Amino acid sequence: MGPALVLACSLVAGRAGAAPSVAQCLDSSEQGQAMRDANKLLRARELLSTCASASCPGPVRASCGQWLKSVRERTPSVIVAVRAADDARDLTDASYRVDDGAAERVSGQPRELDPGVHAFHVRAPGHKEAEQSVVVNLGEKNRLVVVSLAPSGETTPASAAAAADAEKPPALAPLGPVPAPPSSSGFPRVPVAIGLGAVALGTLGTSIFLGLDARGDLADLRSSACGAAGTCGDGATDGIRTRLVVADVLLGTSIVAAAAAVWLWLSAPGR
């Protein structure tokens, strides 16, 4: 099953109320980061909400939760106001659509958008339809977008000048520095897995060397005179016992490090 099909199944399952699977959680995490880095923030929020659900693995859920919070903070919003060009009154029966989206009634409520240039198409009964392009900035919240509509009759120079003045957006306070988005790599699983693999190999080699060396010395001791007579003291065997214990400890450490390396490698994004 390809990633696109898995993601589609994830969205269908989410709508039906079913908890996403581990594969769907991982796919939503990868796709959500890609959409976030492409400034498709509205789509990124949908995907990151899936992998931040309670049924996803703990590390994935924690990372997606942090990314989702960052995306919500960076998502800009606008409030569209439509006014008559001749007397600046609010046109309460006006409607608008953004780019190629569906028409919406003017409500005074904020409308979230992806950052970038958007075209607002506005109309109202008894007035000429107008289009206004607006640059929506990253992280800008509740920006007031005022669109003035001229009467559907003939427009006089005075009303045209009034409409031009009304179309000027209000002055906005300069935005502070936008925080840098979190790294799309999240927790560096692959480098840590490689490091643990190296530790596992190193401790395994040392364990084998110490074990073989201690067993060789033990064989020599048993073939010696005191070994044959059973009179060898603790002093002769203490060093051998110590090396055998250290070899066993290193072997256990190697097994634990290898298991952790395999888990991190397999759970890394894209694996």
Side-chain angles (χ1 to χ4, degrees):
M1 184 180 294
L5 185 55
V6 172
L7 182 58
C9 293
S10 170
L11 295 177
V12 172
R15 292 191 186 99
S21 65
V22 174
Q24 292 165 353
C25 292
L26 294 176
D27 284 339
S28 297
S29 172
E30 291 182 5
Q31 295 291 337
Q33 292 177 73
M35 291 295 101
R36 177 202 62 193
D37 295 340
N39 275 334
K40 303 296 183 182
L41 303 184
L42 298 181
R43 180 62 178 149
R45 279 171 43 169
E46 296 177 7
L47 294 165
L48 294 176
S49 295
T50 298
C51 62
S53 62
S55 61
C56 290
V60 175
R61 184 173 66 250
S63 297
C64 287
Q66 293 176 357
W67 297 331
L68 179 60
K69 180 180 178 182
S70 173
V71 167
R72 284 172 175 165
E73 292 173 352
R74 297 167 59 197
T75 303
S77 61
V78 300
I79 299 175
V80 178
V82 182
R83 295 171 182 168
D86 50 356
D87 56 5
R89 73 184 187 280
D90 288 332
L91 300 178
T92 57
D93 53 352
S95 62
Y96 72 97
R97 59 184 177 88
V98 182
D99 301 323
D100 296 326
E104 303 176 44
R105 289 294 299 268
V106 173
S107 63
Q109 296 296 320
R111 168 78 149 77
E112 292 184 319
L113 296 170
D114 289 326
V117 179
H118 295 278
F120 291 78
H121 308 271
V122 184
R123 62 171 57 187
H127 293 77
K128 293 182 178 179
E129 184 175 356
E131 177 181 342
Q132 182 169 315
S133 295
V134 176
V135 179
V136 180
N137 300 308
L138 183 69
E140 189 175 23
K141 300 292 186 181
N142 299 337
R143 174 179 175 178
L144 183 62
V145 175
V146 180
V147 181
S148 295
L149 299 184
S152 56
E154 221 172 5
T155 304
T156 63
S159 62
D165 291 338
E167 285 179 359
K168 294 180 181 179
L172 297 174
L175 292 174
V178 178
S183 171
S184 61
S185 61
F187 179 74
R189 295 173 182 267
V190 173
V192 174
I194 294 173
L196 287 175
V199 171
L201 290 176
T203 52
L204 178 62
T206 305
S207 173
I208 293 173
F209 172 77
L210 288 177
L212 294 176
D213 184 60
R215 283 170 174 76
D217 289 349
L218 182 60
D220 292 343
L221 184 62
R222 287 175 177 172
S223 62
S224 65
C226 71
T231 58
C232 295
D234 291 340
T237 59
D238 283 347
I240 296 175
R241 288 197 189 96
T242 299
R243 279 177 287 169
L244 288 174
V245 170
V246 172
D248 289 341
V249 171
L250 290 177
L251 179 60
T253 303
S254 175
I255 293 173
V256 172
V262 170
W263 180 83
L264 287 173
W265 179 270
L266 294 178
S267 63
R271 298 290 174 187

